[in-house]
Amino acid sequence: MRSVIRAALAMAAAAPLVPAASADPLAPGAASCLACHGPGGGLPDLAALPPQAIEAALAAYRDGTRQGTVMPRLAKGFSADESRAIAESLGRTGAAGR
Amino acid sequence: MSAGPTRRRLLAGLTAATVAAPALARAAPRVVVVGGGFGGVAAARALARGGITVTLIEPATAYATCPSSNAVIAGLRPLSSITFGYDGVRRAGVTVIHDTVTAIDPAARRVRLADGGSLAYDRLVVSTGIGLRFDAIPGYDEAAAATIPHAWKAGAQTALLARQIEAMDDGGLVALTVPALPYRCPPGPYERASLIAHLLKTRKPRSKVIVLDAKDSFSKQPLFQAAWTALYPDHLEWVPLAQGGAVEAVDAAARTLRTGAGVFRPAVINVIPPQTAPALCLAAGLTNASRWCPVDPVTFESTLQPGIHVIGDAAIAGAMPKSAFAAYSQAQVCARGVTDLLEGRTPPDPRLINVCYSLAAPDYGFSIAGVYQPEWDRLVTVPGSDGLSPDDAPPEVRAREAKLGRSWYDGMTRQLFG
Ligand SMILES: Cc1cc2nc3c(=O)[nH]c(=O)nc-3n(C[C@H](O)[C@H](O)[C@H](O)COP(=O)(O)OP(=O)(O)OC[C@H]3O[C@@H](n4cnc5c(N)ncnc54)[C@H](O)[C@@H]3O)c2cc1C
């Protein structure tokens, strides 16, 4: 199974015009962030942010040091590890950001 | 990703193993999506993005969204501004067929179309929304809905209710009846009552809206009630079940409503009837005794009919409400699950999100939010993630959430239909 994924990943990397292949999926939860942070939503484009900045923002929303409307609630739904995985998916170098 | 084999994980693994061989042997597995609303379009586009060959079947050539339809009813925006065609969906690589699925044969893995043809599928995604129960309230059948709108599916019904309110003389009563849960968009009736009250207050100030409810509590209740006290003390009244709010009968000819609280003869009546999964789901054996569709929380595959996935309002999604946001989130998870199963992988444990914005007035908004995860065979709320906007937020924050709700709507519809 692993090798199939690797092969598909390699293909996706070699042909950047092909849309994000199914074998290069987003971390759990990340796809739903794009319901608001997708293109044209008027919110910060997560793909323009470094993953570390997203991860830090989620941590700050989670522990209450950063204020917001929905983000403090949503950030509490993800552990630090889950948040890091999401940040890596959505940030500048992630699967959704390419 | 979380560790340890769960019952669900084993099940998903099993399905993956049995399906992998035939799907991989064939060049392109075929996925058919039934229903071109929030869930169906989101799933079709996500599948196409992942390289899957997908056909979407939807009878209408234009889709009017329920989100923002309350603003249309209150005269705040035209119906055309919430109506979308399918050209953008086609451009995203989805084959769109405008037809109605009349039957699903799970054993043959085919759907039958109203035009007489049929389509074969390897996996089917069903996102057909709700069926309205025209057998639940005596006197409120499909014929009655032609003059007493439900406006719980957007389009002609939305326009009808908007016209009736617009034409009402000042001093009239608008009555809105609300069913027990579960139904599509739990806070929707209260947003609708609020925006109608806003219209009355500004343009027909001697009129009033009355909410006749089959429940004693409702979604975002403290936020709505605080707004009503502040904004509409003379224009909105809520009658709970305990005070006789449940509607017992409708007389469409006499235009009366019978409730425990008495008989009303309002100038405008809006009956929101009880709901079920659509008839197609019942006929296909996708529903249980509740008349909704039980699904696996990781792939949204039906627990009754293998190979068929149900998302959106028709599905039993545990703690998730029946909302467009939830349908979108479920579509992403379902598309991933379908793709993984077709390609022989085990889908990971998903996380889902729901956020629903409501308006109490055009510049007064608030939200409910939650993050969800599978717990064995159902979706539960991740502790601490769910909650309402604060009770004591200042007007600037209410205005900001009203604006954020509109940007969510604009971005979402552009993403799905653009
Ligand atoms: C007044 C109101 C306000 C709302 N506001 C919000 C909001 O602000 N935010 C939010 O998140 N949600 C909101 N909702 C809820 C939201 O509209 C639904 O949850 C959402 O539409 C569900 O998506 P779905 O894909 O399950 O169904 P739908 O969007 O209803 O799509 C179902 C589609 O399936 C098609 N179909 C049905 N049967 C067949 C068949 N046999 N063959 C082929 N096609 C078929 C239908 O034509 C329809 O286009 C609101 C609802 C209402 C009523």
Side-chain angles (χ1 to χ4, degrees):
Chain A
M1 223 72 95
R2 256 282 187 273
S3 60
V4 176
I5 301 174
R6 286 280 147 73
L9 265 174
M11 272 168 54
L17 290 180
V18 174
S22 57
D24 190 10
L26 303 181
S32 294
C33 307
L34 301 177
C36 295
H37 290 281
L43 287 170
D45 179 8
L46 299 180
L49 294 174
Q52 298 82 345
I54 298 175
E55 189 184 346
L58 290 176
Y61 286 128
R62 194 167 51 241
D63 68 20
T65 49
R66 189 166 170 176
Q67 308 289 306
T69 54
V70 290
M71 289 310 299
R73 286 174 269 165
L74 294 178
K76 290 189 186 71
F78 299 94
S79 68
D81 285 347
E82 290 167 341
S83 300
R84 182 175 318 112
I86 289 174
E88 280 164 7
S89 280
L90 299 180
R92 192 146 63 207
T93 53
R98 285 198 294 263
Chain B
M1 247 148 275
S2 67
T6 61
R7 179 206 70 101
R8 199 281 311 157
R9 219 170 247 293
L10 292 175
L11 274 184
L14 261 178
T15 327
T18 51
V19 155
L24 284 178
R26 212 169 22 231
R30 295 152 301 182
V31 175
V32 172
V33 178
V34 190
F38 281 92
V41 168
R45 291 187 79 142
L47 285 160
R49 209 161 42 235
I52 301 280
T53 304
V54 49
T55 304
L56 175 73
I57 307 171
E58 160 65 46
T61 54
Y63 174 76
T65 65
C66 284
S68 291
S69 69
N70 288 331
V72 174
I73 288 165
L76 297 167
R77 58 191 294 170
L79 183 59
S80 59
S81 76
I82 63 160
T83 306
F84 301 88
Y86 288 90
D87 289 349
V89 182
R90 288 195 174 88
R91 277 196 299 275
V94 176
T95 303
V96 180
I97 297 178
H98 289 300
D99 207 334
T100 301
V101 172
T102 54
I104 301 169
D105 185 335
R109 299 207 167 207
R110 288 188 93 86
V111 294
R112 195 168 297 290
L113 304 179
D115 78 356
S118 69
L119 275 180
Y121 62 80
D122 292 292
R123 287 194 171 264
L124 185 70
V125 177
V126 173
S127 190
T128 45
I130 52 163
L132 297 168
R133 288 197 51 195
F134 286 117
D135 60 346
I137 304 171
Y140 195 68
D141 55 15
E142 214 157 348
T147 52
I148 297 180
H150 52 77
W152 219 241
K153 294 185 180 184
Q157 282 276 314
T158 312
L160 177 61
L161 182 55
R163 261 197 324 273
Q164 290 183 353
I165 295 172
E166 176 66 34
M168 184 181 82
D169 289 334
D170 193 5
L173 179 68
V174 179
L176 196 151
T177 80
V178 188
L181 288 167
Y183 60 87
R184 154 180 285 182
C185 196
Y190 311 96
E191 177 186 74
R192 177 173 293 178
S194 303
L195 293 182
I196 293 173
H198 170 78
L199 179 155
L200 300 180
K201 181 181 170 182
T202 45
R203 293 182 31 218
K204 301 174 196 267
R206 292 187 300 113
S207 316
K208 180 171 172 174
V209 55
I210 185 168
V211 183
L212 299 165
D213 206 330
K215 303 185 294 302
D216 282 321
S217 61
F218 59 88
S219 175
K220 304 178 182 165
Q221 184 167 356
L223 293 168
F224 275 114
Q225 287 186 319
W228 294 345
T229 304
L231 302 174
Y232 313 123
D234 302 324
H235 293 97
L236 194 158
E237 183 182 345
W238 176 62
V239 184
L241 174 67
Q243 286 167 32
V247 61
E248 291 164 0
V250 176
D251 186 334
R255 298 193 64 84
T256 56
L257 288 175
R258 185 156 56 76
T259 74
V263 175
F264 293 85
R265 196 169 183 291
V268 176
I269 306 175
N270 173 204
V271 173
I272 303 168
Q275 294 152 35
T276 145
L280 177 71
C281 300
L282 287 128
L286 289 167
T287 54
N288 65 16
S290 72
R291 302 186 193 217
W292 300 99
C293 305
V295 294
D296 174 86
V298 174
T299 60
F300 288 82
E301 184 166 6
S302 166
T303 57
L304 302 174
Q305 301 292 354
I308 304 179
H309 301 248
V310 185
I311 57 172
D313 290 352
I316 299 172
M320 294 190 89
K322 298 187 187 302
S323 75
F325 198 115
Y328 173 92
S329 184
Q330 292 163 11
Q332 308 309 319
V333 167
C334 175
R336 170 80 184 275
V338 164
T339 306
D340 281 349
L341 293 175
L342 286 170
E343 294 175 359
R345 289 182 300 267
T346 301
D349 247 24
R351 293 292 180 276
L352 296 98
I353 294 178
N354 177 64
V355 176
C356 285
Y357 290 100
S358 294
L359 292 173
D363 59 352
Y364 190 128
F366 37 71
S367 58
I368 186 165
V371 179
Y372 306 87
Q373 66 186 10
E375 161 54 41
W376 191 357
D377 57 353
R378 58 188 305 260
L379 285 167
V380 299
T381 308
V382 179
S385 71
D386 59 329
L388 299 172
S389 305
D391 282 338
D392 54 357
E396 310 84 77
V397 172
R398 301 289 189 229
R400 177 161 164 70
E401 286 218 275
K403 196 158 165 276
L404 284 168
R406 274 187 289 271
S407 5
W408 167 76
Y409 178 81
D410 291 344
M412 175 77 348
T413 51
R414 202 169 305 147
Q415 200 180 127
L416 294 184
F417 295 100

